[in-house]
Amino acid sequence: MVKSKLSKLTLCAVGGAVALATAAGPALAEPTPAEELSRPNVEAPMKMAEEAAPSTLTAASSYKGRVIARSGLNVRSKPNTYSKVIGSLPYGKVIHIDCKVNSQNIDGNPRWYKLDRKHHHHDGWVSARYVVNIGAAPHFCHHR
């Protein structure tokens, strides 16, 4: 019987590694030319996401995200739905994010992203509930 927390953690890690190797094995097999032609290309979207993802962030760069709200996403003057709508972003639009704050909860998500002024030309806010991050998640905003 496993008694220590470290032993239990090690056992879980080993079990997870075995499960991952078992699941990934068939995916790593080299396809035949006939299989290659009949298989849909699912690597192109991943390649686009990898190219869009920043490898390292510098002070001059910003975080990125993609709008996932099918009907588009309102850009607001403050991080809540009570503030003025100052614009909107279409579904699929890549946005540049300056930072995030906790504010009004939208469908279980309290985060709001401040748009990067260098790319969007205003200090608008969008609900993080409707944005998927590309690369690293934004840092919290500093009080100024």
Side-chain angles (χ1 to χ4, degrees), residues 72-105:
L73 182 59
N74 285 333
V75 178
R76 298 189 174 268
S77 60
K78 295 181 182 174
N80 60 58
T81 58
Y82 308 110
S83 62
K84 182 179 176 184
V85 174
I86 59 174
S88 65
L89 300 165
Y91 172 79
K93 172 83 173 168
V94 173
I95 61 172
H96 295 263
I97 304 164
D98 184 27
C99 58
K100 66 184 174 187
V101 296
N102 284 330
S103 187
Q104 182 185 6
N105 189 311

Side-chain angles (χ1 to χ4, degrees), residues 52-76:
S55 56
T56 58
L57 290 172
T58 63
S61 67
S62 66
Y63 299 94
K64 292 182 183 178
R66 184 177 313 277
V67 175
I68 59 170
R70 293 280 180 186
S71 60
L73 182 59
N74 285 333
V75 178
R76 298 189 174 268

Side-chain angles (χ1 to χ4, degrees), residues 5 18 25 78 133 140:
K5 289 182 181 180
V18 170
K78 295 181 182 174
N133 292 325
F140 279 95

